[in-house]
């Protein structure tokens, strides 16, 4: 009985690690070793200033891009860049058409007008 329990735990742990690895791959793109490190705080607000959602992304070495979908009701996308590099934010429609782009320097904040249903990609410039 003991051998089965250990084997079952190993399979469960392996499955959990595979799920985590798969989920991480959806949000981030691998890139050069000089990628940003640190946190990015994202706050989406509606036209009246009401909070729609708040999230934190963590950039780790090797990650060059992460994306966030614009939530229903959001008209503003505020970013606080606590990474060690300037980030480029690019809003894209569901069809992939670029709406606009801007940058937020390391240690700074920026606010961008957005449309619900679009995606905002946060990209580290190529080194």
């Amino acid at each position: 009985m003991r051998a089965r329990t250990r084997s079952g735990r190993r399979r469960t742990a392996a499955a959990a690690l595979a799920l985590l690895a798969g989920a991480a791959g959806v949000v981030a793109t691998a890139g050069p070793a000089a990628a940003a490190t640190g946190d990015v705080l994202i706050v989406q607000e509606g036209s009246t200033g009401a909070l729609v959602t708040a999230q934190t992304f963590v950039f780790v070495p090797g990650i060059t891009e992460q994306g966030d979908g614009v939530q229903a009701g959001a008209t503003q996308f505020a970013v606080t860049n606590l990474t060690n590099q300037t980030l480029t934010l690019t809003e894209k429609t569901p069809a992939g058409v670029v709406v606009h782009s801007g940058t937020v320097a390391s240690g700074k904040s920026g606010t961008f007008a957005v449309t619900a249903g679009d995606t905002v990609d946060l990209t580290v410039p190529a080194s």
Side-chain angles (χ1 to χ4, degrees):
M1 184 79 157
R2 184 174 267 175
R4 285 184 185 166
T5 303
R6 286 183 186 157
S7 176
R9 286 182 187 155
R10 276 190 229 126
R11 280 192 293 257
T12 303
L17 288 173
L19 284 173
L20 287 172
V26 171
V27 217
T29 304
T37 57
D39 298 333
V40 179
L41 173 63
I42 297 172
V43 176
Q44 295 185 40
E45 297 179 350
S47 59
T48 62
L51 177 66
V52 173
T53 185
Q55 298 179 8
T56 302
F57 284 152
V58 178
F59 276 93
V60 295
I63 302 298
T64 58
E65 183 175 272
Q66 295 194 52
D68 188 30
V70 178
Q71 303 299 307
T75 58
Q76 296 291 317
F77 193 92
V79 173
T80 300
N81 180 4
L82 300 175
T83 72
N84 61 344
Q85 291 193 30
T86 296
L87 296 177
T88 299
L89 279 67
T90 306
E91 180 182 1
K92 296 179 184 175
T93 67
V97 176
V98 173
V99 177
H100 78 107
S101 185
T103 60
V104 178
S106 175
K108 302 294 181 182
S109 297
T111 303
F112 302 85
V114 289
T115 302
D118 286 355
T119 300
V120 177
D121 292 331
L122 290 78
T123 309
V124 177
S127 300

